[in-house]
Amino acid sequence: MYRGREGQWAFVFHRMSGVALALFLLLHVIDISLVMLGPDGPFDAFLVFYHNWPFRVGLIAVIAGVVYHGLNGLRIILMDFTSWGVRFQKPMWYGVLGLTTLIGIPVLWKIVPEILGVA
Amino acid sequence: MASAGARAQRPRTFADARAMASSSSELGWWVFMRISGLLLVPLAFGHLWANNMAFNAGEIDFAYVAGRLAQPSVKILDSFLLLFAMLHGVNGLRYSIEDYVKRPGRRFVWKMVLFTVAGIVFVLGVMTLWAFSFEEMGDAMRALGAE
Ligand code: HEM
Ligand code: HEM
């Protein structure tokens, strides 16, 4: 399975997206926790900063990461628990990439205009 | 390429996992990664849908979050998301540390830092979702800062 070529890339992307998401999650819970400081607290000011386009683009990357990692996770689970999973790992990986791209189209369609301020 | 580096040592099937697990708790985590992964598909995808597709994430502010967290269903789903994503993510980070940090002393330090930070963040997350009303909590935090 993880012997070079597609399997190797699938693993590298899975690990990179997993680690990035876990680090994002730690920051995300901290920033959402600022709501505890109330309506006059720092939350809104902080979010205005977060609404700058580099962060919005970052959120798109987060979404892409969840979609890829989640779908590839399902592929790993199929390889682990079915008799045919390992045999079809390569086509399944292309399926994961294809589905991730497919899901990305409406996501970009909705969010890019918001970032450009033309929504 | 004959070897796939770190991952080559990892089990591939449940039978492998059982044979290779260094302890029953390692096998438990291997199974947990898969179960939590399955649960995270609807939880994480639903969360992303609600905050990015059903809403403009560029307009998230206090009122929006307060409104969301006033809904019991959001509180409950967010709690499961917090629990499973934290356990799954932190255990995944632990795998990476064990693959890349080979020196025992350093490995221990990295893991302790990870678990400490994750523990604090988890408590913060639970507090945000459940512990206090925002007003009370804000007063308490300000009182702490004002000392
Ligand atoms: C959306 C559904 C998800 C599924 C189906 C899923 C599935 C998986 C699977 C099957 C593994 C392999 C575990 C192993 O090697 O034993 C894994 C690893 C990992 N996951 Fe997830 N996961 C999901 C979401 C997440 C989220 C939200 C995070 C971040 C908080 C995350 C972080 C990680 C990390 C850091 C690893 C370790 C990567 C590695 O060892 O290479 N995952 N995931
Ligand atoms: C990429 C765009 C994302 C946006 C715009 C976003 C937005 C939000 C918002 C507005 C809240 C407040 C409560 C709610 O509305 O549910 C929240 C809470 C939360 N989010 Fe996200 N989120 C994103 C991604 C993620 C991802 C990928 C994860 C999981 C890995 C995640 C995990 C959580 C958790 C656990 C909470 C509860 C925090 C707490 O305990 O206080 N979010 N998010």
Side-chain angles (χ1 to χ4, degrees), chain A residues 1-5 8 11 14-15 18-20 22-23 25-30 32-41 43-44 47-48 51 56 59 62-63 66-71 74 76-77 79-82 86 103 106-107 110-111 114 119, chain B residues 1-7 10-14 30 34 37-38 41 44-45 47-48 52-63 65 69 82 85-86 88-90 93 95-96 99-100 114 117-118 121 124-125 127-128 134-135 137-138 141-142:
Chain A
M1 163 176 59
Y2 288 110
R3 248 175 261 127
R5 312 224 0 128
Q8 183 74 28
F11 167 66
H14 194 76
R15 170 155 286 188
V19 168
L23 297 178
L25 178 65
L26 293 174
L27 281 179
H28 183 54
V29 174
I30 294 174
I32 294 294
S33 77
L34 288 177
V35 297
M36 283 194 283
L37 295 170
D40 304 320
F43 188 75
D44 281 351
L47 261 279
V48 167
H51 292 158
R56 294 298 309 274
L59 287 189
V62 167
I63 297 171
V66 173
V67 173
Y68 172 79
H69 184 97
L71 295 176
L74 294 178
I76 295 177
I77 293 171
M79 292 193 291
D80 289 338
F81 290 107
T82 68
V86 174
I103 293 175
V107 171
K110 166 149 194 306
I111 295 177
E114 289 172 1
Chain B
M1 270 195 280
S3 153
R7 186 58 185 240
R10 282 256 150 73
R12 282 177 21 182
T13 64
F14 184 65
W30 187 91
R34 278 131 189 93
L38 286 178
V41 173
F45 282 43
H47 182 76
L48 290 179
N52 292 280
M53 298 304 281
F55 192 72
N56 178 346
E59 285 168 7
I60 293 174
D61 59 5
F62 179 87
V65 176
L69 294 185
L82 177 70
M86 284 291 282
H88 179 105
V90 169
L93 290 179
Y95 286 163
S96 294
D99 280 345
Y100 302 126
L114 171 65
V117 171
V121 170
L124 207 58
M127 282 163 72
T128 310
F134 292 160
E135 269 79 0
M137 196 62 218
M141 301 284 265
R142 267 187 294 278

Side-chain angles (χ1 to χ4, degrees), chain B residues 66-88:
Chain B
R68 291 260 306 159
L69 294 185
Q71 298 165 249
S73 59
V74 173
K75 269 175 144 56
I76 292 169
L77 289 176
D78 272 5
S79 301
F80 281 112
L81 180 62
L82 177 70
L83 178 67
F84 288 119
M86 284 291 282
L87 286 172
H88 179 105

Side-chain angles (χ1 to χ4, degrees), chain B residues 113-126:
Chain B
V113 170
L114 171 65
F115 297 155
T116 308
V117 171
I120 294 172
V121 170
F122 181 75
V123 171
L124 207 58
V126 173

